[in-house]
């Protein structure tokens, strides 16, 4: 029973982390695309690498998803 519960909690952390990576990467890619389409393009927009910005967004999403899942797991364990 404990192993099954731990596997479910691990799957929660993994799925939230993957979701965070997808959402963070997509949001960063969209932001960099919108930056270039803006009527007033800044030098920061021109010098940033869209791939690097996407990777940064993905890593931020990974961290946010993992922290959110761990917080949910912590709360669930303290309610039991």
């Amino acid at each position: 029973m404990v192993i099954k519960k731990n596997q479910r909690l691990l799957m929660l952390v993994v799925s939230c982390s993957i979701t965070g990576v997808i959402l963070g990467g997509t949001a960063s890619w969209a932001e960099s695309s919108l930056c270039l389409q803006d009527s007033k393009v800044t030098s920061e927009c021109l010098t940033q690498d869209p791939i690097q910005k996407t990777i940064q967004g993905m890593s931020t999403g990974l961290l946010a998803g993992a922290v959110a899942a761990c917080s949910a797991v912590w709360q669930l364990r303290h309610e039991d």
Side-chain angles (χ1 to χ4, degrees):
M1 182 74 174
V2 174
I3 293 173
K4 217 173 217 187
K5 187 174 182 178
N6 286 339
Q7 286 178 342
R8 285 193 327 225
L9 297 177
L10 179 63
M11 288 303 297
L12 175 68
V13 172
V14 169
S15 63
C16 286
S17 298
I18 291 172
T19 302
V21 166
I22 293 169
L23 291 176
T26 303
S28 293
W29 185 265
E31 183 182 334
S32 63
S33 295
L34 288 176
C35 175
L36 294 172
Q37 295 174 358
D38 197 7
S39 61
K40 188 177 183 182
V41 179
T42 63
S43 61
E44 179 186 348
C45 177
L46 293 174
T47 58
Q48 71 184 1
D49 180 20
I51 303 287
Q52 183 179 6
K53 185 151 179 79
T54 302
I55 291 171
Q56 288 174 343
M58 292 170 76
S59 61
T60 302
L62 173 68
L63 182 64
V67 168
C70 289
S71 297
V73 167
W74 181 80
Q75 184 176 7
L76 286 172
R77 287 197 174 194
H78 284 295
E79 285 180 0
D80 288 344

